[in-house]
């Protein structure tokens, strides 16, 4: 026990497809004595850890929080001091809406070595899987990545600001506030702005709804779309080769009307 050297590696698991885990992430898991993991889109990723590694689920789902954030922080430290090499596995990228920096600060306050392995963020990867380039020359010069629900369970004030811009807007954790989000864009006279909602992106359970600000609520209802999903608003959605056929059909119906 005296030879144990505590170390914590914070690993981003990517957007859901296990093949989108980075090589560095897989190597870190292969050396883990303990893995503390979130509610991952794909638990196949845990297979990269040794069979005898301790696996602890600490994820948060709506209405089901296995541990508070303070408890998770303490669990990471306790396991590192007891077992040595801990991997903290988080979906997407741990520093994009993942509280990774909070965990790192707490762990380092105990003098424990930390390493961060970035993950492929769903902010970029999920739209890309549908052929949506969130920036495109002549169409969109920038993008907003916004959490739909803040830590106090309110709608982010940044969404109202983003609705005024010409940038692509990518919203995570926003499905429960979709009506409010749509209302903000309609107030900016953006009813015809293309919207894509991608549920369980990059996984075998992926579902897609495509429309405009004015039509997307009906499409969500028809397709029974729900969390976890990413909302993409912007002209780049119309530019996707995969979605081109839908928008051509949609626009032709509008002209007939």
């Amino acid at each position: 026990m005296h030879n144990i050297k505590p170390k914590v590696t914070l690993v981003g698991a990517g957007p859901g497809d296990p093949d989108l885990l980075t090589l560095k992430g897989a190597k870190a898991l292969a050396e883990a004595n303990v893995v503390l993991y979130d509610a991952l889109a794909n638990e196949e990723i845990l297979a990269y850890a040794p069979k005898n590694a301790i696996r602890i689920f600490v994820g948060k789902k709506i209405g089901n929080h296995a541990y508070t954030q303070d408890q998770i922080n303490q669990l990471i430290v306790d396991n590192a001091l007891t077992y040595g090499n801990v991997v903290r596995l988080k979906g997407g990228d741990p520093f994009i809406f993942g509280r990774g920096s909070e965990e790192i600060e707490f762990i380092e306050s105990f003098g424990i070595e930390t390493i961060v392995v970035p993950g492929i963020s769903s902010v970029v990867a999920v739209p890309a899987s549908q052929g949506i380039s969130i920036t495109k020359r002549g169409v969109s010069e920038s993008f907003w990545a916004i959490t739909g629900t803040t830590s106090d369970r309110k709608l982010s004030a940044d969404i109202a600001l983003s609705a005024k811009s010409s940038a692509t807007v990518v919203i995570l954790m926003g499905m429960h506030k979709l009506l409010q989000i749509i209302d903000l864009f309609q107030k900016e006279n953006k009813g015809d702005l293309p919207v894509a909602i991608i549920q369980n992106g990059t996984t075998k359970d992926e579902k897609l709804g495509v429309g405009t600000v004015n039509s997307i609520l009906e499409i969500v209802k028809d397709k029974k779309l729900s969390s976890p999903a990413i909302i993409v608003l912007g002209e780049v959605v119309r530019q996707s080769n995969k979605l081109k056929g839908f928008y051509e059909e949609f626009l032709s119906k509008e002209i007939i009307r």
Side-chain angles (χ1 to χ4, degrees), residues 233-246:
L233 304 102
E235 287 299 329
V236 291
V237 175
R238 201 193 314 270
Q239 299 286 320
S240 166
N241 282 331
K242 282 190 176 185
L243 306 179
K244 190 176 181 181
F246 168 84

Side-chain angles (χ1 to χ4, degrees), residues 15-17 41 126 129 198-203 205-207 228-230:
D17 181 345
V126 169
S129 71
I198 310 160
Q199 180 182 332
N200 294 316
T202 78
T203 75
D205 298 320
E206 184 174 88
K207 292 174 69 176
I230 286 181

Side-chain angles (χ1 to χ4, degrees), residues 44-122:
E44 288 178 32
I45 290 167
L46 294 173
Y48 286 101
K51 288 183 179 179
N52 61 346
I54 299 168
R55 292 161 169 79
I56 304 172
F57 172 70
V58 294
K60 297 183 182 74
K61 294 180 179 178
I62 293 171
N64 178 21
H65 289 196
Y67 296 93
T68 66
Q69 187 61 52
D70 288 344
Q71 289 173 325
I72 292 169
N73 292 347
Q74 194 62 56
L75 267 174
I76 297 169
V77 169
D78 291 347
N79 278 279
L81 293 173
T82 304
Y83 298 106
N85 198 357
V86 170
V87 166
R88 174 69 172 105
L89 188 63
K90 302 176 77 70
D93 180 275
F95 281 3
I96 300 180
F97 308 127
R99 292 189 172 184
S101 58
E102 296 175 38
E103 294 180 5
I104 287 288
E105 287 166 12
F106 184 83
I107 296 159
E108 289 183 342
S109 73
F110 288 82
I112 296 170
E113 177 190 359
T114 61
I115 297 168
V116 177
V117 179
I120 297 174
S121 174
S122 57

Side-chain angles (χ1 to χ4, degrees), residues 7-11 28-29 32 34-37 85-89:
K7 182 177 81 169
V8 176
T9 306
L10 188 62
V11 175
L29 280 166
V34 182
V35 180
L36 290 94
Y37 66 100
N85 198 357
V86 170
V87 166
R88 174 69 172 105
L89 188 63

